[in-house]
Coordinates of all heavy atoms in Angstrom, one line a residue:
M1 N 18.9 2.4 4.7 CA 17.6 2.9 4.9 C 17.6 3.9 6.0 O 18.1 3.6 7.1 CB 16.7 1.7 5.3 CG 16.4 0.8 4.1 SD 15.3 -0.6 4.6 CE 16.4 -1.6 5.5
L2 N 17.1 5.1 5.8 CA 17.0 6.1 6.7 C 15.6 6.4 7.1 O 14.8 6.8 6.3 CB 17.6 7.4 6.1 CG 17.5 8.7 6.9 CD1 18.2 8.6 8.2 CD2 18.0 9.9 6.1
D3 N 15.3 6.2 8.4 CA 13.9 6.4 8.9 C 14.0 7.8 9.6 O 14.7 8.0 10.6 CB 13.6 5.4 10.0 CG 12.2 5.3 10.4 OD1 11.6 6.4 10.5 OD2 11.6 4.2 10.6
V4 N 13.2 8.8 9.1 CA 13.2 10.1 9.5 C 12.0 10.5 10.5 O 11.8 11.6 10.8 CB 13.2 11.2 8.4 CG1 14.5 11.0 7.6 CG2 12.0 11.0 7.5
R5 N 11.4 9.4 11.0 CA 10.3 9.6 12.0 C 10.9 10.0 13.3 O 12.1 9.8 13.6 CB 9.4 8.4 12.1 CG 8.7 8.0 10.8 CD 7.9 6.7 10.8 NE 8.8 5.6 11.2 CZ 8.5 4.7 12.0 NH1 7.3 4.6 12.6 NH2 9.4 3.7 12.3
D6 N 10.0 10.5 14.2 CA 10.5 10.7 15.6 C 11.0 9.4 16.2 O 10.5 8.4 15.9 CB 9.3 11.3 16.4 CG 9.0 12.7 16.0 OD1 9.8 13.4 15.4 OD2 7.8 13.1 16.2
A7 N 11.9 9.6 17.2 CA 12.4 8.4 17.9 C 11.4 7.6 18.5 O 11.5 6.3 18.5 CB 13.4 8.9 18.9
S8 N 10.3 8.2 19.1 CA 9.3 7.4 19.8 C 8.6 6.5 18.7 O 8.2 5.3 19.0 CB 8.3 8.3 20.5 OG 7.7 9.2 19.6
D9 N 8.3 7.0 17.6 CA 7.6 6.2 16.5 C 8.6 5.1 16.0 O 8.1 4.0 15.8 CB 7.3 7.1 15.3 CG 6.1 8.1 15.6 OD1 5.3 7.8 16.6 OD2 6.1 9.2 15.0
Y10 N 9.8 5.4 15.9 CA 10.8 4.5 15.5 C 10.9 3.3 16.5 O 10.9 2.1 16.1 CB 12.2 5.1 15.3 CG 13.3 4.2 14.8 CD1 13.4 3.9 13.5 CD2 14.2 3.7 15.8 CE1 14.5 3.1 13.1 CE2 15.2 2.9 15.3 CZ 15.4 2.6 14.0 OH 16.4 1.7 13.6
L11 N 10.9 3.6 17.7 CA 11.0 2.6 18.8 C 9.8 1.7 18.8 O 9.9 0.5 19.2 CB 11.3 3.2 20.1 CG 12.6 3.9 20.3 CD1 12.8 4.6 21.6 CD2 13.7 2.8 20.1
E12 N 8.6 2.3 18.5 CA 7.4 1.5 18.4 C 7.4 0.4 17.3 O 6.8 -0.6 17.5 CB 6.1 2.4 18.2 CG 5.7 3.1 19.4 CD 4.5 4.0 19.1 OE1 3.8 3.7 18.2 OE2 4.3 5.0 19.9
G13 N 8.2 0.7 16.3 CA 8.3 -0.3 15.2 C 9.1 0.3 14.1 O 8.9 1.4 13.7
H14 N 10.0 -0.5 13.5 CA 10.8 0.0 12.4 C 11.3 -1.2 11.6 O 11.2 -2.3 12.0 CB 12.0 0.8 12.9 CG 12.9 0.1 13.8 ND1 12.7 0.0 15.1 CD2 14.0 -0.7 13.5 CE1 13.6 -0.7 15.7 NE2 14.4 -1.1 14.7
I15 N 11.8 -0.9 10.4 CA 12.3 -1.9 9.5 C 13.7 -2.2 10.0 O 14.5 -1.3 10.2 CB 12.3 -1.4 8.0 CG1 10.9 -1.3 7.6 CG2 13.1 -2.4 7.2 CD1 10.8 -0.7 6.2
S16 N 14.0 -3.5 10.2 CA 15.3 -4.0 10.7 C 16.4 -3.5 9.8 O 16.3 -3.5 8.5 CB 15.3 -5.5 10.7 OG 16.5 -5.9 11.2
G17 N 17.4 -2.9 10.4 CA 18.6 -2.4 9.6 C 18.5 -0.9 9.3 O 19.4 -0.4 8.8
S18 N 17.3 -0.3 9.5 CA 17.2 1.1 9.2 C 17.9 1.9 10.3 O 18.0 1.5 11.4 CB 15.7 1.5 9.1 OG 15.1 1.3 10.3
I19 N 18.3 3.1 9.9 CA 18.9 4.1 10.8 C 17.9 5.2 11.1 O 17.2 5.7 10.2 CB 20.1 4.7 10.1 CG1 21.2 3.7 9.8 CG2 20.7 5.9 11.0 CD1 22.3 4.2 8.9
N20 N 17.7 5.6 12.4 CA 16.8 6.6 12.7 C 17.5 7.9 13.0 O 18.3 8.0 13.9 CB 16.0 6.2 14.0 CG 15.0 7.3 14.4 OD1 15.0 7.7 15.5 ND2 14.1 7.7 13.5
I21 N 17.2 8.9 12.2 CA 17.6 10.3 12.4 C 16.3 11.1 12.1 O 15.9 11.2 11.0 CB 18.7 10.8 11.4 CG1 19.9 9.9 11.6 CG2 19.1 12.2 11.8 CD1 21.1 10.2 10.6
S22 N 15.7 11.6 13.2 CA 14.5 12.3 13.0 C 14.7 13.5 12.1 O 15.8 14.1 12.0 CB 13.9 12.8 14.3 OG 14.7 13.7 14.9
L23 N 13.6 14.0 11.4 CA 13.7 15.0 10.4 C 14.3 16.3 11.1 O 15.1 17.0 10.5 CB 12.3 15.3 9.9 CG 12.2 16.2 8.7 CD1 13.1 15.8 7.5 CD2 10.8 16.3 8.2
G24 N 13.9 16.6 12.3 CA 14.4 17.8 13.0 C 15.9 17.8 13.2 O 16.6 18.8 13.3
R25 N 16.5 16.6 13.5 CA 17.9 16.4 13.7 C 18.7 16.2 12.5 O 20.0 16.4 12.5 CB 18.1 15.2 14.7 CG 17.5 15.4 16.0 CD 17.6 14.2 17.0 NE 19.0 13.8 17.0 CZ 19.4 12.5 16.8 NH1 18.6 11.6 16.5 NH2 20.7 12.2 16.9
L26 N 18.1 15.8 11.4 CA 18.8 15.5 10.2 C 19.8 16.5 9.7 O 21.0 16.2 9.4 CB 17.8 15.1 9.1 CG 18.4 14.6 7.8 CD1 19.2 13.3 8.0 CD2 17.3 14.3 6.8
P27 N 19.5 17.8 9.7 CA 20.5 18.8 9.2 C 21.7 18.9 10.0 O 22.8 19.3 9.5 CB 19.7 20.1 9.2 CG 18.3 19.8 9.3 CD 18.2 18.5 10.0
Y28 N 21.7 18.4 11.3 CA 22.8 18.6 12.2 C 23.6 17.3 12.4 O 24.8 17.4 12.8 CB 22.2 19.1 13.5 CG 21.4 20.3 13.4 CD1 20.0 20.2 13.4 CD2 21.9 21.5 13.0 CE1 19.2 21.3 13.3 CE2 21.0 22.6 12.8 CZ 19.7 22.5 12.9 OH 18.9 23.6 12.7
V29 N 23.0 16.2 12.2 CA 23.7 14.9 12.6 C 23.9 13.9 11.5 O 24.3 12.8 11.7 CB 23.1 14.3 13.8 CG1 23.1 15.2 15.0 CG2 21.7 13.8 13.6
W30 N 23.5 14.2 10.3 CA 23.5 13.3 9.1 C 24.9 12.7 9.0 O 25.1 11.5 8.6 CB 23.0 13.9 7.8 CG 23.9 15.0 7.4 CD1 23.8 16.4 7.7 CD2 25.1 14.9 6.6 NE1 24.7 17.1 7.1 CE2 25.6 16.3 6.4 CE3 25.8 13.9 6.0 CZ2 26.7 16.5 5.7 CZ3 26.9 14.2 5.2 CH2 27.4 15.5 5.1
Q31 N 26.0 13.5 9.2 CA 27.3 13.1 8.9 C 27.9 12.0 9.8 O 28.9 11.4 9.5 CB 28.3 14.3 8.9 CG 28.5 14.9 10.2 CD 27.4 16.0 10.5 OE1 26.4 16.0 10.0 NE2 27.7 16.8 11.5
H32 N 27.1 11.7 10.9 CA 27.5 10.6 11.8 C 27.3 9.2 11.2 O 28.0 8.3 11.6 CB 26.8 10.7 13.2 CG 27.2 12.0 13.9 ND1 28.4 12.2 14.4 CD2 26.4 13.1 14.2 CE1 28.4 13.4 15.0 NE2 27.3 14.0 14.9
D33 N 26.3 9.1 10.4 CA 25.9 7.8 9.9 C 25.8 7.7 8.4 O 25.7 6.6 7.9 CB 24.5 7.4 10.5 CG 24.6 7.2 12.0 OD1 25.4 6.4 12.4 OD2 23.8 7.8 12.7
L34 N 25.8 8.8 7.7 CA 25.5 8.8 6.2 C 26.7 9.5 5.5 O 27.4 10.3 6.0 CB 24.3 9.6 5.9 CG 23.0 9.2 6.7 CD1 21.9 10.1 6.4 CD2 22.6 7.7 6.3
F35 N 26.9 9.0 4.3 CA 27.9 9.5 3.4 C 27.3 9.9 2.0 O 26.5 9.1 1.5 CB 29.1 8.5 3.2 CG 29.7 8.1 4.5 CD1 29.2 6.9 5.2 CD2 30.7 8.9 5.1 CE1 29.8 6.6 6.4 CE2 31.2 8.5 6.3 CZ 30.8 7.3 6.9
P36 N 27.7 11.0 1.5 CA 27.1 11.4 0.2 C 27.2 10.4 -0.9 O 26.4 10.5 -1.8 CB 27.9 12.7 -0.2 CG 28.4 13.2 1.2 CD 28.7 12.0 2.0
D37 N 28.1 9.5 -0.9 CA 28.2 8.5 -1.9 C 27.2 7.3 -1.7 O 27.0 6.4 -2.6 CB 29.6 7.9 -2.1 CG 30.6 8.9 -2.6 OD1 30.1 9.9 -3.2 OD2 31.8 8.8 -2.3
D38 N 26.5 7.3 -0.5 CA 25.6 6.2 -0.2 C 24.3 6.3 -1.0 O 23.9 7.4 -1.4 CB 25.2 6.2 1.3 CG 26.3 5.9 2.2 OD1 27.3 5.3 1.8 OD2 26.2 6.3 3.4
N39 N 23.7 5.1 -1.3 CA 22.3 5.1 -1.8 C 21.4 5.1 -0.6 O 21.5 4.3 0.3 CB 22.1 3.8 -2.6 CG 22.9 3.7 -3.8 OD1 23.1 4.7 -4.5 ND2 23.4 2.5 -4.1
I40 N 20.5 6.1 -0.5 CA 19.7 6.3 0.7 C 18.3 6.1 0.3 O 17.7 6.8 -0.6 CB 19.9 7.8 1.3 CG1 21.4 8.1 1.5 CG2 19.0 8.0 2.5 CD1 22.0 7.3 2.6
L41 N 17.6 5.2 1.1 CA 16.2 5.0 1.0 C 15.6 5.6 2.2 O 15.8 5.3 3.3 CB 15.9 3.5 1.0 CG 14.4 3.1 1.0 CD1 13.7 3.6 -0.3 CD2 14.2 1.6 1.1
I42 N 14.8 6.7 1.9 CA 14.1 7.4 3.0 C 12.8 6.9 3.4 O 11.9 6.7 2.5 CB 14.0 8.9 2.6 CG1 15.4 9.5 2.2 CG2 13.3 9.7 3.7 CD1 15.3 10.9 1.5
L43 N 12.6 6.5 4.7 CA 11.4 6.0 5.2 C 10.8 7.1 6.1 O 11.4 7.6 6.9 CB 11.7 4.8 6.0 CG 12.5 3.7 5.3 CD1 12.9 2.6 6.3 CD2 11.7 3.1 4.1
S44 N 9.5 7.3 5.9 CA 8.8 8.3 6.7 C 7.3 8.1 6.8 O 6.8 7.1 6.2 CB 9.0 9.7 6.1 OG 8.3 9.8 4.9
N45 N 6.6 8.9 7.6 CA 5.2 8.8 7.7 C 4.4 9.3 6.5 O 3.3 9.0 6.2 CB 4.7 9.5 9.0 CG 5.0 8.7 10.2 OD1 5.1 7.5 10.1 ND2 5.1 9.3 11.3
N46 N 5.0 10.3 5.8 CA 4.3 10.9 4.7 C 5.2 11.5 3.7 O 6.4 11.6 3.9 CB 3.3 12.0 5.3 CG 4.1 13.0 6.1 OD1 5.0 13.6 5.6 ND2 3.6 13.2 7.3
W47 N 4.6 11.9 2.6 CA 5.4 12.5 1.5 C 6.1 13.7 1.9 O 7.3 13.9 1.5 CB 4.4 12.8 0.3 CG 5.1 13.5 -0.8 CD1 5.8 12.9 -1.9 CD2 5.2 14.9 -1.1 NE1 6.3 13.8 -2.7 CE2 6.0 15.1 -2.2 CE3 4.8 16.0 -0.4 CZ2 6.3 16.3 -2.7 CZ3 5.1 17.2 -0.9 CH2 5.8 17.4 -2.1
Y48 N 5.5 14.6 2.7 CA 6.2 15.9 3.1 C 7.5 15.6 3.8 O 8.5 16.2 3.5 CB 5.2 16.7 4.0 CG 5.9 17.9 4.6 CD1 6.0 19.0 3.8 CD2 6.4 17.9 5.8 CE1 6.7 20.1 4.3 CE2 7.0 19.0 6.4 CZ 7.2 20.1 5.6 OH 7.8 21.2 6.1
Q49 N 7.5 14.6 4.7 CA 8.7 14.3 5.5 C 9.8 13.8 4.6 O 10.9 14.2 4.6 CB 8.4 13.3 6.6 CG 7.7 13.8 7.8 CD 7.5 12.7 8.8 OE1 7.3 11.5 8.5 NE2 7.4 13.1 10.0
S50 N 9.4 12.9 3.7 CA 10.4 12.3 2.7 C 11.0 13.4 1.8 O 12.2 13.4 1.6 CB 9.7 11.3 1.8 OG 9.3 10.2 2.6
N51 N 10.1 14.2 1.3 CA 10.6 15.3 0.4 C 11.5 16.3 1.1 O 12.5 16.7 0.6 CB 9.4 16.0 -0.2 CG 9.7 16.9 -1.3 OD1 10.6 16.5 -2.2 ND2 9.1 18.1 -1.4
K52 N 11.2 16.6 2.4 CA 12.0 17.6 3.1 C 13.4 16.9 3.4 O 14.4 17.5 3.3 CB 11.3 18.0 4.4 CG 12.1 19.0 5.1 CD 11.3 19.7 6.2 CE 12.1 20.8 6.8 NZ 11.4 21.7 7.6
A53 N 13.4 15.6 3.8 CA 14.6 14.9 4.1 C 15.5 14.9 2.8 O 16.7 15.1 2.9 CB 14.3 13.5 4.6
A54 N 14.9 14.6 1.7 CA 15.6 14.6 0.5 C 16.2 15.9 0.1 O 17.4 16.0 -0.3 CB 14.7 14.1 -0.7
R55 N 15.5 17.0 0.3 CA 16.0 18.3 0.1 C 17.2 18.6 1.0 O 18.2 19.2 0.5 CB 14.9 19.4 0.3 CG 14.0 19.5 -0.9 CD 13.1 20.7 -0.9 NE 12.7 21.1 0.5 CZ 11.5 20.9 1.0 NH1 10.5 20.3 0.2 NH2 11.1 21.3 2.2
I56 N 17.1 18.2 2.2 CA 18.2 18.5 3.2 C 19.5 17.7 2.7 O 20.6 18.3 2.7 CB 17.8 18.0 4.6 CG1 16.8 19.0 5.2 CG2 19.0 18.0 5.5 CD1 16.1 18.5 6.5
L57 N 19.3 16.5 2.4 CA 20.4 15.7 2.0 C 21.0 16.1 0.6 O 22.3 16.1 0.5 CB 20.1 14.2 1.9 CG 19.7 13.6 3.3 CD1 19.2 12.2 3.2 CD2 20.9 13.6 4.2
R58 N 20.2 16.5 -0.3 CA 20.7 17.1 -1.6 C 21.6 18.3 -1.3 O 22.6 18.4 -2.0 CB 19.5 17.5 -2.5 CG 19.1 16.3 -3.3 CD 18.1 16.8 -4.4 NE 17.2 15.7 -4.7 CZ 15.9 15.7 -4.3 NH1 15.3 16.8 -3.8 NH2 15.1 14.7 -4.6
K59 N 21.2 19.1 -0.4 CA 22.1 20.3 -0.1 C 23.5 19.9 0.4 O 24.4 20.7 0.3 CB 21.4 21.2 1.0 CG 20.2 21.9 0.5 CD 19.7 22.8 1.6 CE 18.4 23.5 1.2 NZ 17.8 24.3 2.2
H60 N 23.6 18.7 0.9 CA 24.8 18.2 1.5 C 25.6 17.3 0.5 O 26.5 16.6 0.8 CB 24.7 17.5 2.8 CG 24.2 18.4 3.9 ND1 25.1 19.4 4.4 CD2 23.0 18.6 4.5 CE1 24.4 20.0 5.4 NE2 23.2 19.6 5.4
G61 N 25.1 17.3 -0.8 CA 25.8 16.5 -1.8 C 25.3 15.1 -2.1 O 25.9 14.4 -2.9
F62 N 24.2 14.7 -1.5 CA 23.7 13.4 -1.7 C 23.0 13.4 -3.1 O 22.2 14.3 -3.4 CB 22.7 12.9 -0.7 CG 23.4 12.6 0.6 CD1 23.8 13.6 1.5 CD2 23.6 11.3 1.0 CE1 24.4 13.3 2.7 CE2 24.2 11.0 2.2 CZ 24.6 12.0 3.0
R63 N 23.2 12.4 -3.9 CA 22.5 12.3 -5.2 C 21.7 11.1 -5.5 O 20.9 11.1 -6.3 CB 23.6 12.4 -6.4 CG 24.3 13.8 -6.4 CD 23.4 14.9 -6.7 NE 23.9 16.2 -6.6 CZ 23.6 17.1 -5.7 NH1 22.6 16.8 -4.9 NH2 24.2 18.3 -5.6
S64 N 22.0 10.1 -4.7 CA 21.2 8.8 -4.9 C 20.2 8.6 -3.7 O 20.5 7.9 -2.8 CB 22.2 7.6 -4.9 OG 21.6 6.4 -5.3
L65 N 19.1 9.3 -3.9 CA 18.1 9.3 -2.8 C 16.8 8.7 -3.4 O 16.4 9.0 -4.5 CB 17.8 10.8 -2.4 CG 19.0 11.5 -1.8 CD1 18.7 13.0 -1.7 CD2 19.4 10.9 -0.5
F66 N 16.2 7.9 -2.5 CA 14.9 7.2 -2.9 C 13.9 7.3 -1.8 O 14.3 7.3 -0.6 CB 15.2 5.7 -3.3 CG 16.3 5.6 -4.3 CD1 17.6 5.5 -4.0 CD2 15.9 5.5 -5.7 CE1 18.6 5.3 -5.0 CE2 16.9 5.4 -6.6 CZ 18.2 5.3 -6.3
T67 N 12.6 7.3 -2.1 CA 11.6 7.3 -1.1 C 10.6 6.2 -1.6 O 10.6 5.7 -2.7 CB 10.8 8.6 -1.0 OG1 10.2 8.9 -2.3 CG2 11.8 9.7 -0.6
I68 N 9.8 5.8 -0.6 CA 8.7 4.8 -0.9 C 7.4 5.5 -0.9 O 7.1 6.3 0.0 CB 8.7 3.7 0.2 CG1 10.0 2.9 0.1 CG2 7.5 2.8 0.0 CD1 10.0 1.8 1.2
Q69 N 6.6 5.3 -2.0 CA 5.3 5.8 -2.0 C 4.4 4.7 -1.4 O 4.4 3.6 -1.9 CB 4.8 6.1 -3.4 CG 5.2 7.4 -3.9 CD 4.5 7.7 -5.2 OE1 4.0 6.9 -5.9 NE2 4.6 9.0 -5.6
G70 N 3.6 5.0 -0.4 CA 2.8 4.0 0.2 C 3.2 3.8 1.7 O 4.1 4.4 2.2
N71 N 2.5 2.9 2.3 CA 2.7 2.6 3.7 C 4.0 1.9 4.0 O 4.3 0.9 3.4 CB 1.5 1.7 4.2 CG 1.6 1.5 5.7 OD1 2.6 1.1 6.2 ND2 0.5 1.7 6.4
V72 N 4.8 2.5 4.8 CA 6.2 1.9 5.1 C 6.0 0.6 5.7 O 6.8 -0.4 5.4 CB 7.0 2.9 6.1 CG1 8.2 2.2 6.6 CG2 7.3 4.2 5.4
W73 N 5.0 0.3 6.5 CA 4.9 -1.0 7.2 C 4.5 -2.1 6.2 O 5.0 -3.2 6.3 CB 4.0 -0.9 8.4 CG 4.5 0.2 9.3 CD1 3.9 1.3 9.6 CD2 5.8 0.3 9.8 NE1 4.7 2.1 10.3 CE2 5.9 1.5 10.5 CE3 6.9 -0.5 9.9 CZ2 7.0 1.9 11.2 CZ3 8.0 -0.1 10.5 CH2 8.0 1.1 11.2
S74 N 3.7 -1.8 5.3 CA 3.3 -2.8 4.3 C 4.5 -3.0 3.3 O 4.7 -4.0 2.7 CB 2.1 -2.5 3.5 OG 2.2 -1.3 2.8
A75 N 5.3 -2.0 3.2 CA 6.5 -2.1 2.3 C 7.6 -2.9 2.9 O 8.6 -3.3 2.2 CB 7.0 -0.7 2.0
Q76 N 7.5 -3.2 4.2 CA 8.6 -3.9 4.9 C 8.8 -5.3 4.2 O 10.0 -5.7 4.1 CB 8.2 -4.2 6.4 CG 9.4 -4.9 7.1 CD 9.2 -4.9 8.6 OE1 8.2 -4.4 9.1 NE2 10.1 -5.5 9.3
S77 N 7.8 -5.9 3.6 CA 8.0 -7.1 2.9 C 8.9 -7.0 1.7 O 9.5 -8.0 1.3 CB 6.6 -7.7 2.5 OG 6.0 -6.8 1.6
C78 N 9.1 -5.8 1.2 CA 10.0 -5.6 0.1 C 11.4 -5.8 0.5 O 12.3 -6.1 -0.4 CB 9.9 -4.1 -0.4 SG 8.3 -3.7 -1.1
F79 N 11.7 -5.7 1.8 CA 13.1 -5.8 2.2 C 13.4 -7.1 2.9 O 14.5 -7.3 3.3 CB 13.4 -4.6 3.2 CG 13.1 -3.3 2.6 CD1 11.9 -2.6 2.9 CD2 13.9 -2.8 1.6 CE1 11.6 -1.4 2.3 CE2 13.6 -1.6 1.0 CZ 12.4 -0.9 1.3
Q80 N 12.5 -8.0 3.0 CA 12.7 -9.3 3.5 C 13.4 -10.2 2.5 O 13.2 -10.0 1.3 CB 11.4 -9.9 4.0 CG 10.8 -9.2 5.1 CD 9.4 -9.7 5.5 OE1 8.8 -10.5 4.7 NE2 8.9 -9.3 6.6
K81 N 14.1 -11.2 3.0 CA 14.8 -12.1 2.0 C 13.9 -13.0 1.3 O 14.1 -13.4 0.2 CB 15.9 -12.9 2.8 CG 17.0 -12.0 3.2 CD 18.1 -12.8 3.9 CE 19.2 -11.8 4.3 NZ 20.3 -12.5 5.0
T82 N 12.7 -13.4 2.0 CA 11.8 -14.2 1.4 C 10.6 -13.4 0.9 O 10.2 -12.4 1.5 CB 11.3 -15.3 2.4 OG1 10.7 -14.6 3.5 CG2 12.4 -16.2 2.8
P83 N 10.0 -13.8 -0.2 CA 8.9 -13.0 -0.7 C 7.7 -13.1 0.2 O 7.6 -14.1 0.9 CB 8.6 -13.6 -2.1 CG 9.2 -15.0 -2.0 CD 10.3 -14.9 -1.1
P84 N 6.7 -12.1 0.1 CA 5.6 -12.2 1.0 C 4.7 -13.4 0.6 O 4.9 -14.0 -0.5 CB 4.8 -10.9 0.7 CG 5.5 -10.3 -0.5 CD 6.8 -11.0 -0.7
K85 N 3.8 -13.9 1.5 CA 2.9 -15.0 1.2 C 2.3 -14.8 -0.1 O 1.8 -13.8 -0.5 CB 1.9 -15.1 2.3 CG 2.5 -15.9 3.5 CD 1.4 -16.3 4.4 CE 2.0 -17.3 5.4 NZ 1.1 -18.0 6.2
G86 N 2.1 -15.9 -0.8 CA 1.5 -15.9 -2.1 C 2.5 -15.5 -3.3 O 2.1 -15.4 -4.4
G87 N 3.7 -15.1 -2.9 CA 4.7 -14.7 -3.9 C 4.4 -13.4 -4.6 O 5.0 -13.2 -5.7
R88 N 3.5 -12.6 -4.1 CA 3.2 -11.4 -4.8 C 4.4 -10.4 -4.7 O 5.1 -10.3 -3.8 CB 2.0 -10.7 -4.1 CG 0.8 -11.5 -4.4 CD -0.4 -10.9 -3.7 NE -0.3 -9.6 -3.3 CZ -0.9 -9.0 -2.3 NH1 -1.7 -9.7 -1.5 NH2 -0.7 -7.8 -2.0
H89 N 4.5 -9.6 -5.8 CA 5.6 -8.6 -5.8 C 5.2 -7.4 -5.0 O 4.0 -7.1 -4.8 CB 5.9 -8.2 -7.2 CG 6.5 -9.2 -8.1 ND1 7.8 -9.6 -8.0 CD2 5.9 -10.1 -9.0 CE1 8.0 -10.5 -8.8 NE2 6.9 -10.8 -9.4
C90 N 6.1 -6.7 -4.5 CA 5.8 -5.5 -3.7 C 5.2 -4.4 -4.6 O 5.7 -4.2 -5.7 CB 7.2 -4.9 -3.1 SG 7.0 -3.4 -2.3
G91 N 4.1 -3.8 -4.2 CA 3.4 -2.9 -5.0 C 3.8 -1.4 -4.8 O 3.2 -0.5 -5.2
H92 N 5.0 -1.2 -4.2 CA 5.4 0.1 -3.9 C 6.4 0.6 -4.9 O 7.2 -0.2 -5.3 CB 6.1 0.2 -2.5 CG 5.1 -0.1 -1.4 ND1 4.3 0.8 -0.8 CD2 4.7 -1.3 -0.8 CE1 3.5 0.3 0.1 NE2 3.8 -1.0 0.1
R93 N 6.3 1.9 -5.3 CA 7.2 2.4 -6.3 C 8.3 3.1 -5.5 O 8.1 3.8 -4.5 CB 6.5 3.4 -7.2 CG 5.7 2.8 -8.2 CD 5.3 3.8 -9.3 NE 5.6 5.2 -9.0 CZ 4.7 6.1 -9.0 NH1 3.5 5.9 -9.4 NH2 5.0 7.4 -8.8
L94 N 9.5 3.0 -6.0 CA 10.6 3.8 -5.5 C 10.8 5.1 -6.3 O 10.7 5.0 -7.5 CB 12.0 3.0 -5.5 CG 12.0 1.8 -4.7 CD1 13.4 1.1 -4.9 CD2 11.9 2.2 -3.2
N95 N 10.9 6.2 -5.7 CA 11.0 7.5 -6.4 C 12.4 8.1 -6.0 O 12.9 7.9 -4.9 CB 9.9 8.5 -5.9 CG 8.6 7.9 -6.2 OD1 8.3 7.4 -7.3 ND2 7.7 8.0 -5.2
H96 N 12.9 8.9 -6.9 CA 14.2 9.6 -6.6 C 14.1 10.9 -7.3 O 13.3 11.2 -8.1 CB 15.4 8.8 -7.0 CG 15.5 8.4 -8.4 ND1 15.8 9.3 -9.4 CD2 15.3 7.2 -9.0 CE1 15.8 8.6 -10.6 NE2 15.4 7.4 -10.4

């Protein structure tokens, strides 16, 4: 999971296990933590950030890229080992 929000937003709250590389730094430092063969789930504040991050990574050979449509924080329950209260399924779609 790649969180492309600013470091200050990431420090305020993030999904456990995610890697923070802000969108502005992504073109320069992606190779420190990411590999083109990885499946990458892009977490961001909005569609524009996710789309831009995906374009940057595609230029570097990444092919398995996914984003979440909807609020990242409500989507956090999708990544927990136990289902959310009431056993409801996550209502977020993954896009690639």
Side-chain angles (χ1 to χ4, degrees):
M1 288 181 286
L2 172 64
D3 191 321
V4 295
R5 297 176 302 141
D6 291 334
S8 60
D9 292 334
Y10 180 81
L11 292 174
E12 284 181 21
H14 59 274
I15 295 177
S16 180
S18 63
I19 297 168
N20 178 236
I21 303 175
S22 65
L23 190 56
R25 294 178 52 232
L26 187 60
Y28 309 104
V29 300
W30 64 268
Q31 66 275 18
H32 296 293
D33 294 306
L34 306 173
F35 301 95
D37 292 338
D38 291 343
N39 294 320
I40 306 293
L41 176 61
I42 301 170
L43 307 171
S44 68
N45 284 335
N46 57 55
W47 176 86
Y48 174 79
Q49 287 180 331
S50 296
N51 193 39
K52 185 164 183 167
R55 283 195 321 259
I56 291 167
L57 293 173
R58 274 192 211 108
K59 286 182 183 179
H60 293 290
F62 288 80
R63 294 293 172 248
S64 189
L65 301 169
F66 304 89
T67 61
I68 292 179
Q69 275 189 349
N71 184 308
V72 170
W73 304 118
S74 65
Q76 183 169 0
S77 62
C78 296
F79 305 104
Q80 295 172 346
K81 290 182 180 178
T82 57
K85 279 196 167 189
R88 292 178 18 210
H89 293 283
C90 177
H92 297 272
R93 283 195 349 232
L94 294 178
N95 301 312
H96 57 74

